Amino acid sequence: MTSARAVSLVAKREFVTKVRTRSFLIGTAVIIAVLAGYVVLQSVLFDDQQRSVVGLSGQATQLADPLKDKAKAFGIELETRDVTTGGNPEDQVRDGSLDALVTGAPPVLKMIVKGSGDEVLTTVLNDVLRQQVLVAQLAEAGIAPQEVAQSLAKVGVEVTALEPVDPQRGQRLAIGLIVAALLYYSLLVYGTMVAQGVVEEKSSRVVEILLATLRPWQLLLGKVIGLGAVGLLQLLVISTVGLGLSSAFDVIDVSAFGGAVLLTGVLWYLLGFFLYATVFAAAASLVSRQEELQSVLTPISMTIIVAFVAGINLMIGSPSGSTVTVLSLLPPFAPILMPGRMALGVAPAWQVLLAVALALLAIAAITWLGGKVYANAVLRTGARVKLREALRT
């Protein structure tokens, strides 16, 4: 049997076995449900922030159209309601039906809110009120308000931005954080799954039967490829559903980011998984029982956790800073940090290429070293094998 055939058989066995398990199906469904809930929540919160309902009573009803026009300039969709007749409008403010109640007549108005009130809405109301008073005074002075408005339209400040703000930065940051979180989950979960499979085969002596036909590197590579494909399948399903929900609820501009996000996620998942999976497998081959597994996996898991936690804080604070830039180039941190920086648009092409090149070199070195440890330790049962001994053999 050729090496390619041997590796493909092991990979197919691992893939089919894991994809059919209830844990994979339920886990994927739970993640999608959580993601859907997050998208819906963001959509609702965004709509609430961009929409206000104001009740107008008495002479304040004449301000309905000016309020709507001014609110549009602030990016707010304003709905006005005439509450002059009917029940007590203050009760509608208390129960949340109205965000604010405006009563009185220019130049003196009163706005009633439930809590502290909306500062933007207060600014809108003040601007409209000043405009109404100004128009009235101009009319008394015999000056046409239209002439003043035309003169004011020509007045303005020319702004030159030294560092223009990206209008899509918020969406880019959200995408970067989500990609980092998904990669963190995939690397940790499926890397641990590789390690558990190695210990399970070793403790049950199944590995002895498999190695009677296969070479150690063939078994290791097939296991890594098979479980890596499972993780990739789950990542693609979750990403596709997430992008679809984001587009449906208009949370993220999928047309601008969708394809790039998927390609970036797939690239760094593959690099990260092959980087860490071999290390997980080699570490697991040093022990013979599941109870001992956590002790050898903790340093590897902590590296991924630190990369994720530090990366999230650094990307939110200073994605272009020297610290996050250097860390995103180093192989242990690149699979989580670099895709986030790419989504934010702050990673130059040369940094991405350098990070990929360093990751490939690290994969080659770790695969050779991890394969050697795995081959020398996987058949040794009983007491925990010391790393020094596995490397010497």
Side-chain angles (χ1 to χ4, degrees):
M1 182 169 52
T2 63
S3 297
R5 176 64 175 168
V7 171
S8 65
L9 287 175
V10 176
K12 182 179 179 180
R13 169 183 171 272
E14 295 290 341
F15 179 82
V16 173
T17 301
K18 294 299 180 182
V19 167
R20 290 179 177 178
T21 58
R22 292 181 60 186
S23 59
F24 173 81
L25 299 175
I26 294 175
T28 304
V30 168
I31 295 175
I32 291 176
V34 171
L35 185 60
Y38 174 78
V39 171
V40 172
L41 178 62
Q42 290 297 311
S43 176
V44 172
L45 292 177
F46 181 79
D47 288 342
D48 288 344
Q49 292 174 353
Q50 301 298 314
R51 184 174 180 274
S52 296
V53 180
V54 177
L56 303 177
S57 178
Q59 296 185 40
T61 54
Q62 64 181 322
L63 301 177
D65 291 335
L67 278 174
K68 291 179 181 179
D69 294 338
K70 181 62 68 173
K72 288 182 180 179
F74 285 83
I76 299 176
E77 180 185 349
L78 188 66
E79 178 187 345
T80 59
R81 298 177 184 174
D82 187 348
V83 294
T84 303
T85 59
N88 186 358
E90 292 186 11
D91 292 337
Q92 298 182 46
V93 177
R94 290 191 181 93
D95 63 22
S97 300
L98 296 177
D99 293 309
L101 170 65
V102 179
T103 62
V108 180
L109 290 177
K110 181 180 180 182
M111 185 170 71
I112 301 173
V113 297
K114 183 177 181 180
S116 59
D118 189 332
E119 293 182 2
V120 177
L121 185 58
T122 303
T123 302
V124 169
L125 186 60
N126 285 330
D127 285 354
V128 170
L129 185 58
R130 294 189 187 101
Q131 185 178 359
Q132 293 291 315
V133 172
L134 179 60
V135 169
Q137 292 180 348
L138 289 174
E140 291 179 0
I143 302 174
Q146 293 79 4
E147 296 180 3
V148 177
Q150 291 176 359
S151 299
L152 291 176
K154 299 177 182 179
V155 178
V157 177
E158 182 178 349
V159 179
T160 301
L162 298 178
E163 296 182 3
V165 178
D166 184 0
Q168 295 179 322
R169 188 181 186 280
Q171 292 191 5
R172 291 181 181 276
L173 179 59
I175 290 173
L177 297 179
I178 292 173
V179 170
L182 288 176
L183 290 176
Y184 162 77
Y185 167 83
S186 298
L187 294 178
L188 199 58
V189 169
Y190 286 97
T192 303
M193 195 176 294
V194 170
Q196 291 173 341
V198 170
V199 175
E200 182 181 348
E201 291 176 351
K202 186 175 179 179
S203 61
S204 64
R205 301 295 182 91
V206 172
V207 68
E208 297 177 6
I209 300 175
L210 293 173
L211 292 182
T213 307
L214 305 172
R215 294 181 180 179
W217 72 267
Q218 294 173 341
L219 180 59
L220 176 61
L221 182 58
K223 184 178 292 292
V224 169
I225 292 176
L227 292 177
V230 176
L232 181 59
L233 174 63
Q234 187 180 59
L235 183 65
L236 290 175
V237 170
I238 294 172
S239 300
T240 303
V241 173
L243 290 173
L245 290 172
S246 300
S247 177
F249 287 91
D250 199 24
V251 175
I252 293 176
D253 186 2
V254 176
S255 61
F257 301 107
V261 169
L262 282 177
L263 290 177
T264 299
V266 169
L267 169 65
W268 285 105
Y269 169 78
L270 293 175
L271 292 174
F273 186 79
F274 278 98
L275 180 68
Y276 280 104
T278 305
V279 180
F280 272 107
S285 67
L286 299 175
V287 298
S288 302
R289 297 183 302 170
Q290 295 287 350
E291 294 81 2
E292 301 173 330
L293 181 60
Q294 193 59 44
S295 62
V296 296
L297 296 188
T298 297
I300 310 169
S301 301
M302 286 304 299
T303 302
I304 301 177
I305 294 172
V306 168
F308 174 71
V309 174
I312 292 297
N313 291 304
L314 289 171
M315 279 195 294
I316 293 176
S318 179
S320 301
S322 56
T323 301
V324 70
T325 298
V326 172
L327 290 177
S328 67
L329 298 176
L330 302 179
F333 305 99
I336 293 177
L337 295 183
M338 186 54 77
R341 296 186 66 232
M342 290 173 66
L344 283 170
V346 297
W350 70 267
Q351 291 184 6
V352 176
L353 294 176
L354 179 58
V356 171
L358 292 176
L360 291 174
L361 289 175
I363 289 172
I366 290 175
T367 300
W368 175 82
L369 186 63
K372 183 177 181 181
V373 172
Y374 177 83
N376 294 332
V378 73
L379 290 176
R380 298 175 63 177
T381 58
R384 174 178 170 179
V385 181
K386 295 182 178 180
L387 180 61
R388 190 183 305 109
E389 296 177 1
L391 291 173
R392 284 178 182 173
T393 309

